């Protein structure tokens, strides 16, 4: 089968897992291509639209933002070429915690897809380290990535044989998701409040890498932010001088990218509140059970 995966990734987590998923599908004999949605503004490039028409299954990968898909993912769904015959879609999502509420993040996207003639048949959700609010320990980040990498071949095999997988419904899910979508315009407003500190060395990395083209360097070298921010945290996380201040959310900033290396010395265990502790434990337990079951069925 020809499978095309279009992804958006603010700080790399979703990109890493998109790549792993594409690799697993490739190992199963499919032809897979990956396409970043960085810079998507008013229209889909013709080449991309043709490839979408041509593929057998379309994958869409995104990080959960405020229990929703990011604004540019919804824009992408609106721009998709209309299909006469329903085209199957699968979704890949990453989020900072495994709360069930994250399941509602795809509801609006699925509705938009349906209008263009696409049907979401399965969704795969992986927990990856937070890029806002708080920083996960290196041990936790590494555990999240290795767990996702162990699950992905199982999910790719499931997708490959056409088994549907949709999340369970959440009471008042649509209402909660639509209320939380204020993050889209809130993010754009907050983006205007971003500033850089005097540590900025005017290297231009943030200008080049912003997926929304929202950062510019003025003639005098000053860095300015516009009103198109996606709140993706790329500029904040990747600035070599840690100079970006993220407006009202300044105390939620997560500095520097995760290395995802296996931690060499045992770190103290990361502490969370009760709800999160239970949610993480359940996520890892269920993942391990699935991985073990598959190993047993093979041997
Ligand atoms: C603005 C914003 C909102 C977020 N909202 C949620 C959320 O509602 N639930 C969640 O579990 N994680 C949330 N996250 C965390 C990201 O989904 C998570 O870190 C993700 O793996 C980042 O992927 P990326 O590196 O591909 O951008 C949020 C992150 C950002 C920047
Ligand atoms: S990446 Fe950081 S140091 Fe470089 S221009 Fe942007 S804010 Fe300044
Ligand atoms: S300004 Fe920063 S947070 Fe906003 S879209 Fe650009 S890189 Fe992402």
């Amino acid at each position: 089968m020809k499978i095309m995966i279009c992804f958006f990734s603010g700080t790399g987590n979703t990109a890493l897992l998109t790549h792993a998923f594409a690799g697993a599908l490739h190992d199963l004999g499919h032809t897979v291509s990956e396409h970043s949605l960085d810079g998507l503004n008013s229209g889909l490039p013709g080449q991309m639209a043709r490839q979408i028409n041509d593929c057998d299954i379309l994958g869409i990968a995104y990080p959960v933002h405020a229990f929703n898909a990011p604004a540019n993912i919804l824009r992408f769904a609106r721009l998709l070429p209309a299909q006469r015959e329903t085209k199957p879609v699968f979704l890949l999502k990453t989020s900072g915690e495994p709360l069930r509420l994250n399941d509602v993040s795809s509801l609006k996207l699925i509705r938009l897809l349906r209008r263009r003639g696409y049907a979401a048949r399965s969704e795969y959700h992986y927990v990856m380290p937070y890029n806002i609010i708080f920083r996960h320990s290196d041990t936790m980040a590494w555990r999240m990535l290795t767990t996702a990498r162990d699950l992905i071949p199982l999910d790719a095999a499931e997708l490959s044989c056409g088994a549907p997988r949709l999340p369970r419904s959440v009471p008042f899910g649509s209402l909660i998701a639509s209320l939380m979508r204020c993050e889209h315009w809130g993010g754009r407003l907050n983006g205007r409040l971003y500033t850089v500190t005097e540590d900025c060395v005017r290297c231009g990395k943030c200008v080049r890498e912003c997926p929304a083209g929202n950062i510019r360097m003025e003639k005098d070298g000053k860095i300015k932010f516009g009103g198109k921010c996606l709140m993706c945290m790329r500029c904040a996380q990747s600035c070599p001088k840690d100079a970006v201040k993220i407006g009202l959310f300044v105390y939620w900033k997560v500095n520097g990218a995760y290395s995802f290396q296996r931690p060499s010395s045992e770190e103290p265990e990361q502490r969370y509140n009760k709800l999160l502790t239970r949610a993480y434990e359940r996520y890892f337990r269920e993942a391990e059970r699935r991985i073990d079951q598959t190993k047993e069925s093979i041997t």
Side-chain angles (χ1 to χ4, degrees), residues 8 10 187 191 194 206 209-215 225-226 228-236 238 244 246:
F8 173 61
Y194 280 32
C206 55
E209 293 187 356
C210 171
N214 190 47
I215 313 175
F225 296 83
K228 296 187 286 184
C229 182
L230 295 165
M231 284 288 286
C232 74
M233 297 302 123
R234 191 180 299 175
C235 55
S238 66
V244 179
I246 55 171

Side-chain angles (χ1 to χ4, degrees), residues 196 199-207 217 223 238-241 243-244:
V196 295
D199 294 332
C200 168
V201 289
R202 322 274 195 247
C203 69
K205 187 170 190 271
C206 55
V207 180
M217 192 186 290
I223 297 294
S238 66
C239 169
K241 295 292 171 187
V244 179

Side-chain angles (χ1 to χ4, degrees), residues 98-100 275 277-287:
L99 296 182
R100 217 177 120 194
L275 183 69
T277 306
R278 272 209 298 271
Y280 284 122
E281 277 171 5
R282 195 179 331 111
Y283 173 75
F284 287 124
R285 208 171 40 242
E286 283 173 10

